[in-house]
Amino acid sequence: MTLGVASVLRESLRRLATGPALLLLLAFAVVQTLVALLAGPVYRIVPDAVLSGSGDPFTLTLDPVPVIGLAVVCVVAGYVGLVTIRVFATRWGVVEREHLTRGVAPALANWLVGALVVAVLVAIGLVVLIVPGVFVLGALLLALPFVAVEDANAASALRRSWAATDGHRTTLLGIAIAVLLIDAVLFAVSVVLATALTGSLAPLGLFAGAIAVAIAFVLLWIAMARTYASLDGASA
């Protein structure tokens, strides 16, 4: 696969519709829904504020149980992301046992640390100006694949991603923007669904919203894997 915005996006969307991707995103959505039902969300949506467009549509809940639930979701997201990138960095996208079990604990620890560092750097870039934040995301797009596929530690993965993307960062900027725009639409859909389905339909709204969020994350992870496959010499 040649590296280009259209080619990476096309390959990522095509793989998103495969069995392994659908199973991974479904598993992630189920965990999100169960945690939200059992522990409650950290952020609660205020329907009236969403519909009217005035006021703060979200309220923050800092009770211990929802915060613990969020931590569980983050760990599960890390594991699903780890497996997703391992699967889709290969030519065929077939789930193998080693994708699920190889060095999970250290890989997950480095994954979460790397993801946190990337998130902080991107956030700083977004505060300064939108473009620097997305540029950083593009330049560090391979950090998590280096952790997932090559068992690199977080510091090494971030350093290698910066070096490996040299000369390709404009293209990676385009990939990051394209994926983030799709993800923004999906996150908006999740808010609309959670807002529209209330009362007895609230669990259905939570699950539908969780599906939208899961699709957004799995698409991002697949895009990372396909970019890694193209730039780092893995089978494309």
Side-chain angles (χ1 to χ4, degrees):
M1 182 186 76
T2 57
L3 181 66
V5 177
S7 59
V8 169
L9 197 59
R10 182 174 60 251
E11 286 289 312
S12 300
L13 290 171
R14 186 166 68 84
R15 283 166 170 77
L16 184 64
T18 61
L22 295 175
L23 286 173
L24 287 164
L25 71 87
L26 180 61
F28 185 32
V30 168
V31 171
Q32 289 182 77
T33 304
L34 289 175
V35 169
L37 290 173
L38 295 175
V42 174
Y43 283 96
R44 299 184 186 278
I45 300 171
V46 182
D48 292 342
V50 174
L51 295 174
S52 66
S54 61
D56 187 357
F58 303 100
T59 58
L60 178 63
T61 304
L62 292 178
D63 295 333
V65 173
V67 171
I68 292 171
L70 177 62
V72 170
V73 170
C74 288
V75 172
V76 171
Y79 178 71
V80 173
L82 191 74
V83 173
T84 300
I85 288 182
R86 285 176 174 177
V87 169
F88 290 102
T90 62
R91 178 187 296 271
W92 303 113
V94 176
V95 181
E96 299 178 359
R97 183 172 181 175
E98 63 124 7
H99 295 150
L100 304 172
T101 60
R102 190 186 79 239
V104 169
L108 189 56
N110 282 296
W111 173 281
L112 294 174
V113 171
L116 180 60
V117 171
V118 171
V120 169
L121 292 174
V122 171
I124 293 172
L126 291 175
V127 169
V128 175
L129 190 65
I130 291 177
V131 172
V134 183
F135 179 83
V136 169
L137 178 59
L140 300 178
L141 201 63
L142 300 188
L144 297 183
F146 278 127
V147 170
V149 180
E150 301 188 21
D151 300 322
N153 62 48
S156 173
L158 291 165
R159 188 168 58 248
R160 291 176 64 185
S161 180
W162 184 263
T165 57
D166 186 28
H168 302 280
R169 289 175 188 150
T170 302
T171 301
L172 292 170
L173 176 64
I175 293 170
I177 291 173
V179 174
L180 288 176
L181 286 175
I182 295 173
D183 283 358
V185 172
L186 290 166
F187 284 125
V189 168
S190 73
V191 172
V192 170
L193 290 171
T195 303
L197 299 175
T198 59
S200 62
L201 294 177
L204 179 60
L206 284 173
F207 181 65
I211 287 285
V213 170
I215 292 173
F217 275 106
V218 171
L219 175 62
L220 176 61
W221 293 326
I222 293 175
M224 289 180 179
R226 299 316 301 157
T227 304
Y228 166 86
S230 179
L231 278 182
D232 200 53
S235 297

